[in-house]
Amino acid sequence: DEAIWDIWGAEATEQGNCSRFKGGVLPHCCEKQPVIVDLMPGAPYNKQFNNCCKGGVLTSMTQDQTMYGAAFRMNVNKATINNTDNGFIMPLSFNLGVPGYTCGDPFRVPSSKFKADGSRTWNVTCIYSQFQASLTPKCCYHYSLPQCSCNCEGLGGTKCVKSDKTPPLLELPHANDEEPQPLVRCSNHMCPIKVHWHVKESYKEYWRVKITITNLNFVKNYSQWNLVVLHPNLRNVTQVFSFNYLPLNPYGSINDTGMFWGIKYYNDMLLQSGPSGNVQTEMLLNKDPSIFTFREGWTFPRKISFNGDECVMPPPDEYPRLPNSGHSVTEKPCLIFFSLFLLIVLVL
C-alpha cells in the first residue's frame, strides 16, 4: 500500500561534543535525534543521492518499480564516534512519523548493497495497523451497509456537510504537519472512500462487473491509490478496462486476490469530493462451471482494501440472492400460456 511519510523536523543542534548536521542519526551523547527529511525530485544535483528524492511518497512494489524504495545519505564526524561495534554506534528510536506505523529496534545485518570497508548496516522493521492509524474505518463497500459503518453523524468530533451545501473554504483544514481529518457528505455510513461493485451483465460464458471508487472527502486527494479485492473468480479474469490489474498469489496456487490501480496520467489521482471525485472500471470474467453461481451472493467480493485499509463490508446474509438464469422466472408463465393456446387450437 501507499506510504506517505510527511516527517518534517529541525536540524540537530550542538550538544556536548556532538557536531551539527542536517540529517541522519546522532550518537548517544545527544538527547534528541534529528529528523530525516526527504527531498523533492527537483532538488539540486549536488544534494541528490542514488534512489533519493521521492518527495516523501512511496508506492507499492507492484505499482511502480522506481518509487517503492528511497535512500538517504549523511556524514558523521569521526570525533563523535567511540569504539563500540568497531567504531560505529547503532542508531535508535526509528519512527516514520505517519499514524498507524510502529517500528521495532534496529539489528545488525550483513551489508547487502554498500560493501565499502568499514560500513555497517542495520535493519528496522515497521508495521502498519489501520486500527492505530484511525479510530474509525476509512473505507466502506457500498451495497447494503450497516448503519454507521465508518462513523456516526452527530458524534463529537465528526464533521460532515449537508447534501445541499458546499463547505466554506475557511472551514477546510489548512496545510500542517498532520493529515487533516476527513470532511465528508452527511450520510448513514460517513465513509471518506466508497467502493461499489456492480454485477452488470451475464453472458453465456462470461460475466461483467463494474467497480466504482468514490472519494467523499472534501479535504484530500488520493494519489497513486490502489484497491485489493478478494473473490474466487479472479483466477478467471479475461480483461480489465481503464485500470491496471495484477493477480496477487500470497498462498501460492490459490489465485483469488487481485490488485487494481490507476493508469498513470489518466486516473491514478482520485480527486476530492465532487463531480470528478470518482474512478471506475469494468472487468470481464470467464464463468467457471465448477464454481460459478449467482446464488447466496457468490458474485460479490469477500474482502476489499483501499490503500491498505480494509473496507467495512455488509454481513454475508445481506448480499442479494440472484437466480442463476435471468430467464427462469418467465419460462413457466410462457409455458402455461403456450399450453393453453395449444389446447384451444386442438378443441377448435
Side-chain angles (χ1 to χ4, degrees):
D1 60 291
E2 178 181 307
I4 302 177
W5 7 286
D6 39 359
I7 44 179
W8 309 97
E11 59 188 43
T13 58
E14 296 181 6
Q15 296 181 11
N17 63 345
C18 294
S19 51
R20 177 184 177 116
F21 58 97
K22 293 187 177 180
V25 179
L26 288 176
H28 292 302
C29 59
C30 293
E31 296 177 0
K32 186 176 181 181
Q33 299 189 16
V35 175
I36 298 175
V37 182
D38 191 23
L39 298 176
M40 298 301 292
Y45 287 107
N46 61 347
K47 292 185 178 181
Q48 292 189 16
F49 186 70
N50 292 337
N51 206 26
C52 82
C53 312
K54 302 301 173 67
V57 178
L58 294 181
T59 68
S60 65
M61 297 177 67
T62 301
Q63 289 177 258
D64 192 339
Q65 291 291 321
T66 66
M67 289 292 292
Y68 76 86
F72 302 90
R73 183 177 185 176
M74 67 177 182
N75 296 321
V76 180
N77 192 333
K78 285 187 177 182
T80 65
I81 300 177
N82 61 20
N83 293 324
T84 303
D85 192 19
N86 296 326
F88 286 87
I89 298 177
M90 183 178 293
L92 299 173
S93 302
F94 281 86
N95 189 346
L96 291 180
V98 181
Y101 284 92
T102 55
C103 300
D105 295 329
F107 56 92
R108 176 81 179 276
V109 296
S111 299
S112 56
K113 186 172 183 180
F114 301 98
K115 301 183 180 296
D117 293 338
S119 65
R120 294 293 182 270
T121 302
W122 297 276
N123 269 7
V124 179
T125 301
C126 300
I127 300 176
Y128 176 76
S129 169
Q130 69 181 86
F131 301 105
Q132 292 187 7
S134 174
L135 296 176
T136 56
K138 299 180 180 179
C139 168
C140 65
Y141 170 69
H142 182 261
Y143 173 70
S144 177
L145 288 168
Q147 297 292 324
C148 298
S149 59
C150 281
N151 205 338
C152 293
E153 182 182 343
L155 284 182
T158 300
K159 293 184 178 180
C160 66
V161 180
K162 299 296 183 181
S163 58
D164 58 341
K165 295 183 179 180
T166 301
L169 293 178
L170 293 179
E171 293 184 6
L172 295 178
H174 298 284
N176 51 38
D177 292 343
E178 298 180 359
E179 182 177 346
Q181 292 297 318
L183 180 63
V184 302
R185 287 283 180 199
C186 297
S187 65
N188 64 331
H189 57 77
M190 297 289 288
C191 286
I193 292 293
K194 181 179 70 175
V195 180
H196 184 68
W197 174 287
H198 173 58
V199 180
K200 188 174 182 181
E201 298 286 350
S202 176
Y203 309 108
K204 182 178 180 180
E205 297 182 0
Y206 301 91
W207 61 299
R208 182 183 289 261
V209 172
K210 182 178 181 179
I211 303 175
T212 303
I213 308 171
T214 304
N215 181 5
L216 302 176
N217 194 347
F218 284 99
V219 295
K220 184 175 181 181
N221 294 327
Y222 295 86
S223 61
Q224 298 174 326
W225 57 268
N226 63 68
L227 188 77
V228 176
V229 178
L230 172 65
H231 191 284
N233 209 179
L234 287 181
R235 68 186 186 185
N236 295 316
V237 172
T238 302
Q239 189 171 0
V240 176
F241 305 91
S242 70
F243 279 3
N244 290 305
Y245 175 77
L246 187 71
L248 303 178
N249 302 326
Y251 305 108
S253 60
I254 302 178
N255 184 9
D256 60 0
T257 306
M259 178 175 170
F260 302 85
W261 70 98
I263 299 172
K264 196 171 184 179
Y265 305 124
Y266 175 60
N267 57 3
D268 58 339
M269 174 76 76
L270 182 53
L271 300 177
Q272 298 173 5
S273 180
S276 301
N278 71 87
V279 290
Q280 53 189 341
T281 186
E282 293 191 9
M283 175 173 52
L284 198 63
L285 305 98
N286 183 262
K287 289 182 177 179
D288 187 340
S290 63
I291 61 173
F292 183 85
T293 178
F294 278 117
R295 296 192 177 98
E296 306 301 326
W298 185 90
T299 55
F300 296 95
R302 310 302 188 259
K303 184 184 294 186
I304 292 180
S305 297
F306 178 82
N307 277 6
D309 287 313
E310 189 171 336
C311 301
V312 177
M313 304 290 288
D317 56 353
E318 291 191 11
Y319 281 102
R321 288 161 172 78
L322 304 175
N324 271 358
S325 173
H327 302 288
S328 59
V329 178
T330 59
E331 285 176 354
K332 291 184 179 179
C334 291
L335 182 61
I336 294 173
F337 175 80
F338 179 78
S339 301
L340 290 175
F341 177 78
L342 181 63
L343 179 61
I344 292 174
V345 170
L346 290 176
V347 171
L348 292 177

